[in-house]
Amino acid sequence: MIHFNPESRTFNLILQSSVYAMQVDNKDRLVHVVWGPRPADGNELLSGRIRPFPSDHASFEFQTRRDELLTFGDTSVHEVTLKASFATLPDPLPDSDAPHLPIRDVRLRYISHEVVTDAEPGLAPAHGLPTVNREPRETLRIKLADPVQPLTVSLCYRLTPAQDIIERWLELENTGETPIEIEQLFFATLHLPNGTTELTSVSGAWAQEFQTQRERLPVGRRVIEHRSVQTGHLANPFFLLNRPGQAWEEHGTVYFGALAYSGSWQLSFEQLPGTDVRVHGGYHPFDFGLTLTAGARHKTPAFVYGVCDEGWGGASRRLHTFTRERILPVPQNALAERPILYNSWEATYFGITEQNQIELARKAAAIGVELFCLDDGWFGGRRFEVAGLGDWTVSPDVFPNGLEPLIAEVNRLGMAFGLWVEPEMVNPDSDLYRAHPDWVLHFPGRPRTEARCQLILDFGRAEVVETIFNALDSLLAQYNIAFIKWDMNRSASEPGSVVGKAIWQAHVAGVYGIIDRLRAKYPHLTIESCSGGGGRIDLGILGRTDQVWTSDNTDALDRVRIQEGFSLAYPARVMEAWVTHEKNHQTGRFHELGTRFDVAMRGALGIGASLNALDEAELKEYAAYIAFYKRIRYIVQGGDLYRLERLEEAEASTILVVLPDGSEAVYSTVVHSHKLGQFRRLVPLRGLIPSATYEVLDRFEKVRLTATGYELMVQGIPGDEDGRSGHSRTLHIKRVD
Ligand code: GLA
């Protein structure tokens, strides 16, 4: 609910269990009042009587005032949401003013507000596919304007009360005749209560994505960021914040946020000396530049944020439900649950033949796979990574009869067919590059640095975006392709583009635009976002994809840690997880099949092992696990996640995923490193109905235990006490009374 009190000019945004309030002050400035949990009963309002505005003019500490939008100029000396410069002088110019330009000062004052139900942030998906929950949502749009310069800025707040989530974005408009240069632009600045200084975020690298880190914010600034045209491996654009020692996995007030954007981004956490904590999130200020020409508008993507009183777990569950219900597209005729995928990359790498793919497909179908994906190497001159990117036509050297025979066989076996592409890239050894060497990011007269032998296409050029769209469109028109693995295997360097600094946003808009057009034209199509593993995972790309490739690292024990960090923000439904070889190709470590399955079954299960190298007995084991996963996947992919034991503290990971009505659950434990001579304690469960009776079944559907929800939530499930390293189990819990 959005409420405005016209006397005190106070806004109350009331969500399920939290409130966000702000007020227009006596100088028409929009000032933050409060954000936090609220008592659950009723819709009590803050009247605006209590005005928490610190003074404007402490001598060394300007702008302690919590403006909802902090602008460069006025009295600001701290980080700002928006910096702009104007090329025109006010008319008339006071006699005492020197006419120096540009004017780098923005002051925004309240003009009006409205509540609308159909507002969308910048770069919202344009494919037209619905989301699971289509209930309209209210957006508060507050219009501010500079009293002297021709700039208006609307602050937009879209409410999803059930998950205590607000999506926030800015809409800028140049109402004058001369261009305005925007030099810094976050999507929003958040003001948190003093002392909210314990930050949980993830850092990473290729094959080590989503490593959880927890730290105390310093006084000053701490920045997490990525500077490229994709989201990046080094960090991921989300955070959890709480008072140190006052929140834990299932308890305490936790603030959380995430950016719905896949480009160069920054989240900047600022603690002022002795005062408040601010979070600025949006476009990375590094090399940022946006020219608003006369009459032009710009809408930023959304900064998604919320607060809850149920610890880090409560924050994660809100983000998961929000993503499942409000962000992920629902494709036509696709399975309601993510299908079991087979991907042949680790089986055949660049050694693809029609025959070996058909053999793999037959074995995959026999063990229960539903979607067969052909990976890199099927097109142009792409026999190795040195050539072919950009030439998206089937290679006659590999598939002399085209892809039809393989696809026909895959379909005959009852599976859907998927194809790997890397549309933003080009190898210099390709027909595309030979025809258009000027179509890549580069600075004239400078060398072009290749990474993985490839360069990035300049998506600042409309003709490049059109060429790539047409190439993918022809493939989809010609072949029965149900799934695309959209890869992106290098970071941007030498970002020279025909559109200058605007390339940082233009690239993202180009990628989103192609996907949106393809999905609109092929509404049954599903897409996986991949970038050298988990380099493009965020709430922006999830609005137009169905799942993500979590990491190229498929080592089960490394994966548990990666998946734990992933689960802080993103739901299991989108987390593609393969079972690969006994001796892992990335780490060289050996893991039992059970451990590999128990870890992969925590997400959307896929198989990446070389099935041609397995004997009948092993294939039977695969089939048995897949059949088990099919029985529990609606719980794994749609339930509420409880992290009962985190690797961070226990050297074991135990999770429980519970259907929202408490009727069924999946329990999964993996011991990462066990110290000999120590006993593991039983882990109490959560989220069940205390008075209900449950059966605990193993993967063979054998009942191992019957107990009440109360007993399971107070005591736990026996059987994992002396688990050695690598011990793992997945159990299905079912209400029986
Ligand atoms: C990236 C992906 C892999 C695979 C290769 C193919 O590394 O993450 O899964 O598709 O590219 O070149």
Side-chain angles (χ1 to χ4, degrees), residues 288-606:
F288 182 80
L290 171 69
T291 304
L292 269 190
T293 53
R297 296 162 187 240
H298 181 84
K299 210 196 252 204
T300 73
F303 188 168
V304 177
Y305 60 84
V307 59
C308 76
D309 228 352
E310 292 149 31
W312 302 319
S316 300
R317 285 189 290 279
R318 278 170 175 75
L319 281 168
H320 296 173
T321 308
F322 178 77
T323 303
R324 282 195 308 258
E325 294 189 355
R326 294 292 192 170
I327 293 205
L328 293 173
V330 180
Q332 270 176 23
N333 310 325
L335 281 174
E337 293 151 18
R338 296 304 307 142
I340 315 283
L341 169 77
Y342 181 77
N343 181 296
S344 60
W345 173 242
E346 287 201 18
T348 44
Y349 293 106
F350 287 110
I352 299 171
T353 64
E354 184 184 296
Q355 198 45 40
N356 67 22
Q357 297 305 300
I358 285 179
E359 277 168 32
L360 286 168
R362 288 184 182 147
K363 292 198 166 143
I367 60 172
V369 166
E370 296 155 322
L371 168 62
F372 181 90
C373 182
L374 173 63
D375 211 278
D376 198 354
W378 56 268
F379 53 92
R382 186 79 167 170
R383 298 299 74 78
F384 293 102
E385 60 187 28
V386 294
L389 287 174
D391 299 340
W392 300 109
T393 47
V394 179
S395 165
D397 298 343
V398 187
F399 292 100
N401 313 307
L403 286 178
E404 278 97 351
L406 173 61
I407 298 178
E409 182 62 5
V410 165
N411 292 160
R412 190 191 65 78
L413 292 162
M415 297 185 293
F417 180 77
L419 194 63
W420 180 96
V421 288
E422 194 178 357
E424 299 143 79
M425 298 292 164
V426 66
N427 286 120
D429 185 358
S430 66
D431 292 344
L432 182 70
Y433 188 78
R434 281 183 280 276
H436 302 285
D438 52 332
W439 276 13
V440 296
L441 296 182
H442 72 287
F443 287 110
R446 301 282 183 185
R448 304 163 183 208
T449 307
E450 292 171 27
R452 211 190 187 211
C453 314
Q454 62 200 56
L455 298 167
I456 304 180
L457 289 169
D458 182 0
F459 273 22
R461 288 173 177 262
E463 69 273 30
V464 174
V465 173
E466 205 52 31
T467 302
I468 295 303
F469 169 77
N470 288 335
L472 298 175
D473 183 29
S474 328
L475 283 168
L476 290 166
Q478 189 181 350
Y479 296 110
N480 187 20
I481 297 170
F483 172 85
I484 282 180
K485 176 178 174 183
W486 181 302
D487 207 341
M488 199 290 190
N489 281 316
R490 66 160 288 179
S491 284
S493 60
E494 301 126 347
S497 160
V498 293
V499 296
K501 288 180 178 177
I503 188 57
W504 298 110
Q505 295 105 55
H507 187 93
V508 181
V511 171
Y512 285 179
I514 294 173
I515 298 180
D516 285 350
R517 286 169 71 190
L518 292 176
R519 294 202 74 137
K521 192 161 174 192
Y522 303 97
H524 66 280
L525 181 70
T526 56
I527 301 182
E528 174 174 279
S529 170
C530 172
S531 176
R536 181 145 59 198
I537 300 172
D538 60 79
L539 296 183
I541 200 70
L542 285 173
R544 52 266 293 173
T545 52
D546 303 271
Q547 61 186 47
V548 295
W549 181 222
T550 319
S551 175
D552 278 344
N553 186 344
T554 57
D555 179 295
L557 291 190
D558 277 2
R559 262 303 178 110
V560 189
R561 195 177 301 282
I562 292 169
Q563 294 181 182
E564 187 171 289
F566 181 99
S567 80
L568 291 172
Y570 304 109
R573 179 184 172 80
V574 304
M575 185 176 74
E576 182 64 26
W578 303 347
V579 168
T580 55
H581 304 90
E582 185 179 25
K583 180 179 178 190
N584 188 269
H585 283 194
Q586 290 78 37
T587 63
R589 288 198 295 198
F590 288 82
H591 296 300
E592 287 170 17
L593 191 63
T595 318
R596 284 178 276 150
F597 264 102
D598 284 324
V599 173
M601 288 193 300
R602 291 175 166 204
L605 176 66

